[in-house]
Amino acid sequence: QVRLVESGGGSVQAGESLRLSCKVSGDIYENSCMGWFRQAPGKEREGVAAMYTRTHNTHPADSMKDRFAISWDNAENTLYLQMNSLKPEDSAIYYCAAGRCGSWVAAVATPPSGSWAQGTQVTVSS
């Protein structure tokens, strides 16, 4: 099991940038694939990006790959999501998750039996 604690959400203007952090502790070796997901009010949760933390191989969702980037800091055991050129439609609760590596990573799908952070609100105003 792993524990994930997010930080970095907030309110910004359209066009600005924001970086989310997700501090991970526990059995990272067994849960070495991680991802970011988001859910807006009235919408289903969608994958933003996922990655293999051992190889730093990343898989961003096609719709966001030009603006969002996922990364992992080995020294800090922290997952990041850099979000640039934010739009009002990016407003949502963002979650980081960790799990055993599998096909969900390339698909940026929900990790089976994954561990989740508490979520952080991102609000983008026009």
Side-chain angles (χ1 to χ4, degrees):
Q1 291 291 337
V2 291
R3 182 169 180 260
L4 303 94
V5 179
E6 289 186 51
S7 61
S11 297
V12 297
Q13 296 291 318
E16 293 184 342
S17 298
L18 204 59
R19 188 177 76 161
L20 304 182
S21 301
C22 179
K23 180 74 172 179
V24 185
S25 59
D27 192 356
I28 297 173
Y29 182 82
E30 289 293 332
N31 298 274
S32 63
C33 281
M34 302 186 188
W36 288 97
F37 302 82
R38 70 183 186 183
Q39 187 165 20
K43 294 188 177 181
E44 293 186 356
R45 184 169 57 197
E46 64 175 333
V48 175
M51 69 179 297
Y52 295 84
T53 60
R54 295 182 197 176
T55 63
H56 295 264
N57 189 17
T58 64
H59 294 272
D62 286 342
S63 62
M64 289 169 267
K65 63 182 179 181
D66 293 334
R67 299 185 296 121
F68 292 5
I70 186 174
S71 62
W72 170 254
D73 185 324
N74 285 328
E76 298 293 329
N77 284 347
T78 300
L79 186 72
Y80 295 102
L81 180 67
Q82 178 66 42
M83 303 185 292
N84 299 324
S85 301
L86 282 162
K87 305 175 181 179
E89 52 264 42
D90 293 320
S91 298
I93 299 176
Y94 284 71
Y95 301 89
C96 60
R100 292 176 179 267
C101 295
S103 59
W104 67 271
V105 180
V108 200
T110 298
S113 301
S115 298
W116 293 81
Q118 78 281 11
T120 188
Q121 178 72 48
V122 172
T123 302
V124 185
S125 302
S126 58

